[in-house]
Structure formats: structure tokens, C-alpha cells
Amino acid sequence: MIKTLWFLTIFLILVFPSFGRAARVILDIHTPTLVQIPIVLPKWKPIDKTPVSLTSNVYEILGNDLKLSGFFRVIDGPQLPLSLRQKEGIPNTLSLQEWMPAGGDFLLAGEAHLDPVSLQVRLKFHLFDLVEQKHLVGKQYEGHSQTFRNMVHRMSDEVILQLTGERGVHNTKIAYTMSQGEGKEIFIADFDGANVKQVTQNQSINISPAWTADNRRIAFTSYLKRNPDLYLIDPDGKNLQLFSSHPGLNLSPSWSPDGKRIALMMGMEGKSEIFLMDGASGNLRKLTKGHGNEASPTWSPDGKSIAFVSDRSGSPQVYIMSGEGSDVRRLSYEGSYNTNPSWSPKGDRIAYCGRAGGRYEIFTIEPDGSGLRKLTSGSGNNESPQWSPDGRYIAFTSTRTGASKVYVMNANGFNPRALTVSKGGEGSPAWSRRSD
């Protein structure tokens, strides 16, 4: 693997200095129903001797990003009127009127330049409001050609910021497990399912991946030494480190928001309990004291509470306790089997897996127990929900097409799509935090 030394700079192109820099919220993504924004994508323009293949790749990735976000109805390529299909590059504001027949509310146009010697790429885009006939924002990104995909993702995130008020998550990654022969290995993929990489290659059973709070490492449980021990590894598969090897379970780690403490499921006393581990010293403290089995801890974003699963009432249900183990209260009451809680990064909802109608479905609920919503339906089982770092998406596993695969949907349950094109055998998705 070629190691690249590169940097990415972003700066505002001051074409119309009278416009403010604050993001204008056009779309409220928290509504139960979502009307997609129609956005027009003209062809990208290659500058100087830049290969058309580069601009075509940028155009394809950008359009795909906007579609996968679930916020946009992209009008591109053959969907454009004949008179506009061959136009490329960034139009002048005075000529925006000619783009009205395309049927979009916004227009996103750009150009690309590749230096054939240094292989540096420069991508420039402008976003226009076709309804008000004005320019909204323009930015330029520079970096090595090997990083151009990340630059396009950053561009997509900026467009989402301008139209929703919060940056997107196209540069995040999802870790997950995949069956390999008789074992399971850890893999990672980009938000759009590209750049699939195998992280572990130990031919053992590796489960329950979780990103550390600083995003630099992935924790997972492995039977590499027969006991279910907890390990840490770099996303590139290097620097494997044994992290917790107490006899019995060392499973389902959840880092506190400040990265100093880890809540995890352990089975040192004949049944599973939730323990709190100090990240620096490794010292342990048992948080749960019930007579049942406790599992699957997940921190609230303010670091004050932990949601977890317990069968102390006779069947698995979701509970909440303080970060110190006190003030335990039951959260889920609908259904007889509820597991895999995941606290949203905004703190307003908790996703979990519950059995309903003979199948497992994804639900969300407010931390006070109100506002229960069922997000999935149809055939197959849907399990292991995990929020994106902006709270707009949920990754989960589903057998709706037969074999278990990782899916991503909008947080309201709309637009489910398979993460990768694999044949299945996937499970336990874990979403990285944003790096910017």
C-alpha cells in the first residue's frame, strides 16, 4: 500500500462577498416525512489537459453521495433537457435562468484540474439557488489524486451543510463483521459502500467491533486464544493489541464521550454484568447489581447515562442507569424481547432491536420512554442498530433478502439500502465518528 503524504485545504471563493457565510437551512431532516430537494448537476468541466475520466469519476461520486444522503432528488445526465446535457462547468449567475427548464431548486456545478507532474488535484464547486436566482457558496479543495474521493465526499458534506444546517457524514466509515469460512473477520467500508477493506485476518471468530473515541482504533472481541478477549487494532490491520483478557466474556465495549472510560459486558462471575473500565489504568468496577444477565452498554452523548439490556424482569429489556451504576430504570415495555440499544448522538432517541410479529425489527424511543417508533417492516429480521455520528442515519443488519447484510437507512426509516455488494454474512455494524 502506497503511503501518501498529502494535505487537504478548503477555502471560500469570494465571488459574491455580499452573501453571508452562515449555512441557510432549507431542509428540516427531522420531520417524519421528507420531501427531497430537486438539485441539478451539470457535467463537470476538465481544466487544461485534465482527463475526462477524472471529471466523470467526480461527477459519478458526487451524484451518488447526494442520492445516498436521502435528502435530494438528483437531476443529472439523461434527465436534463437536451439543450443542457452538453453544458459543463460553472455558469455565470446571469445565465442561471437557462437552467430553469431542468426542474431543480438548486444547481451544483464544478470543474477539476489535475497537474500531470505532481498529481495534485484541484476541485472547485459552486452552489446556486435557481428559485431565487442567486449564488449560495463556492469552495475549492486541493490534494493528491489518491485523495480525490475524500475531496468529493467533503464537497457533498458541504452542500448538505448549506441546505440542512449540519455537515454530512460521507467521509465516515462503518466497521462490521463478515463470515469467512468457519470464522468471522472485521471489515470496514466507506459510507457509500466503497473502499471495502479487511481489518483482521486471523481466521478466528472476531465479533462486536467498536471504534475508540478518537477514531484511531477499532476494538473487537476475538476467540484467537479461545477465551472471548477484547483486542484493539488499527483500521489498516496493524498494531494488534490485547486489551482485556479476563476469564469469561470481554464484549461490547462502549467508550464514554470523553474517551476516558469504557463500559463493557463481562462474565467473570458466572453471568454477564456491565463493568466500567478506566481507559488509562485498566481498573474495573462493576456497575450492575441485578440478579439477571446484563449486556450491550451504550453511553449517552453527555456521558451521564448508560443504556443496557437486562433480563432481570424475565425477558431481555432495555434499561437506563447513571454512568456510575445508580438510578436504574426500565425503558422498554412493548414486546417481550428487546436488545441492542444504541443512543443517538443528539441524545434525543435510543434505537434498539425488538421482536414484533414473529420477526426482529428496529425501533426508536425517547429516553423517557415516550415516542416509540417502528422503523423497519417486511420480510426478514432487522437487528443491531447503530447511529451515524450526525444522528441522521441508522446502520443495521437485515436478512430481508436472505443472507445477513449491513443496511443503512435514514433515521425516520426511509431509504434503506445495502451498504456493500457482498453476498452476505455481515453483522454488527459500528459507525466511526466524523474526523472533521
Side-chain angles (χ1 to χ4, degrees):
M1 182 177 182
I2 301 175
K3 183 177 180 180
T4 61
L5 296 176
W6 57 275
F7 69 94
L8 184 66
T9 60
I10 305 173
F11 58 89
L12 183 64
I13 302 173
L14 299 176
V15 178
F16 294 89
S18 60
F19 293 102
R21 296 190 180 189
R24 183 165 68 106
V25 179
I26 306 298
L27 175 68
D28 182 4
I29 57 90
H30 298 292
T31 56
T33 58
L34 184 66
V35 178
Q36 293 179 319
I37 297 174
I39 186 168
V40 179
L41 260 64
K43 293 176 63 177
W44 270 58
K45 181 179 181 179
I47 302 300
D48 297 334
K49 296 182 179 181
T50 299
V52 175
S53 59
L54 176 66
T55 53
S56 296
N57 283 338
V58 172
Y59 190 68
E60 179 181 358
I61 296 169
L62 181 60
N64 189 51
D65 277 357
L66 298 180
K67 293 172 185 175
L68 292 182
S69 74
F71 306 142
F72 302 98
R73 177 170 63 85
V74 178
I75 304 169
D76 60 358
Q79 301 179 67
L80 294 171
L82 286 173
S83 60
L84 298 174
R85 290 181 188 177
Q86 299 307 313
K87 289 184 177 293
E88 61 183 20
I90 302 167
N92 186 287
T93 308
L94 298 177
S95 65
L96 289 180
Q97 188 68 34
E98 68 178 351
W99 287 94
M100 293 301 291
D105 291 348
F106 298 88
L107 181 143
L108 178 60
E111 59 187 37
H113 176 263
L114 172 65
D115 187 306
V117 178
S118 65
L119 297 182
Q120 288 290 113
V121 173
R122 183 177 69 247
L123 303 180
K124 181 190 298 185
F125 84 90
H126 284 263
L127 179 65
F128 300 90
D129 186 326
L130 292 178
V131 176
E132 298 184 11
Q133 293 284 292
K134 68 179 184 181
H135 176 266
L136 292 179
V137 67
K139 288 196 173 184
Q140 182 167 294
Y141 301 76
E142 295 183 0
H144 194 275
S145 59
Q146 292 181 332
T147 70
F148 93 94
R149 189 178 191 90
N150 289 337
M151 287 188 273
V152 179
H153 289 330
R154 287 182 178 272
M155 193 183 312
S156 305
D157 288 348
E158 179 64 28
V159 172
I160 290 173
L161 170 65
Q162 294 298 320
L163 300 184
T164 71
E166 184 173 348
R167 196 174 302 279
V169 292
H170 289 90
N171 264 322
T172 59
K173 296 183 181 295
I174 297 174
Y176 58 96
T177 63
M178 181 179 287
S179 298
Q180 298 281 285
E182 297 182 355
K184 288 179 180 289
E185 302 286 1
I186 308 298
F187 285 72
I188 58 173
D190 291 352
F191 171 81
D192 61 357
N195 290 331
V196 174
K197 297 178 181 178
Q198 185 172 343
V199 179
T200 62
Q201 300 186 51
N202 56 34
Q203 300 179 335
S204 181
I205 298 175
N206 306 284
I207 57 176
S208 186
W211 294 84
T212 59
D214 60 8
N215 240 21
R216 295 179 179 178
R217 311 204 78 192
I218 297 173
F220 65 98
T221 297
S222 179
Y223 287 80
L224 189 59
K225 296 183 178 181
R226 299 184 181 274
N227 190 66
D229 298 326
L230 192 63
Y231 291 82
L232 290 174
I233 195 169
D234 292 349
D236 62 3
K238 298 179 180 179
N239 298 321
L240 180 66
Q241 174 191 350
L242 182 60
F243 187 63
S244 178
S245 58
H246 296 278
L249 295 174
N250 298 266
L251 190 64
S252 300
S254 178
W255 265 259
S256 62
D258 62 8
K260 296 180 180 180
R261 296 170 295 168
I262 303 104
L264 72 162
M265 171 184 171
M266 304 186 77
M268 296 189 296
E269 300 174 0
K271 69 183 186 72
S272 60
E273 300 275 7
I274 305 301
F275 281 75
L276 193 65
M277 178 184 290
D278 182 85
S281 66
N283 292 335
L284 290 171
R285 183 162 64 87
K286 189 170 71 170
L287 294 184
T288 52
K289 301 175 182 178
H291 59 271
N293 288 290
E294 331 287 355
S296 305
T298 175
W299 286 90
S300 63
D302 62 6
K304 295 181 179 180
S305 302
I306 297 173
F308 65 102
V309 174
S310 175
D311 64 1
R312 62 183 65 185
S313 65
S315 66
Q317 297 292 338
V318 179
Y319 289 76
I320 293 177
M321 62 182 169
S322 75
E324 302 302 321
S326 61
D327 301 324
V328 179
R329 61 182 173 87
R330 182 171 166 177
L331 178 66
S332 64
Y333 285 90
E334 294 287 334
S336 61
Y337 201 102
N338 298 301
T339 62
N340 300 128
S342 176
W343 212 309
S344 76
K346 296 184 185 301
D348 56 343
R349 300 194 72 79
I350 294 172
Y352 66 91
C353 164
R355 190 162 57 198
R359 290 192 298 268
Y360 292 101
E361 306 286 5
I362 305 300
F363 295 83
T364 63
I365 192 171
E366 294 181 23
D368 64 2
S370 64
L372 180 66
R373 298 176 190 166
K374 179 170 167 285
L375 301 186
T376 56
S377 60
S379 61
N381 291 309
N382 304 281
E383 304 176 78
S384 304
Q386 287 288 314
W387 293 88
S388 64
D390 62 352
R392 291 169 167 174
Y393 307 93
I394 295 175
F396 63 104
T397 59
S398 179
T399 58
R400 60 188 60 192
T401 59
S404 177
K405 288 180 61 64
V406 174
Y407 284 75
V408 174
M409 63 181 170
N410 286 76
N412 57 9
F414 290 6
N415 303 309
R417 50 125 180 146
L419 176 65
T420 72
V421 296
S422 80
K423 295 180 180 180
E426 300 171 347
S428 303
W431 216 308
S432 74
R433 299 188 182 187
R434 282 185 290 208
S435 57
D436 54 351

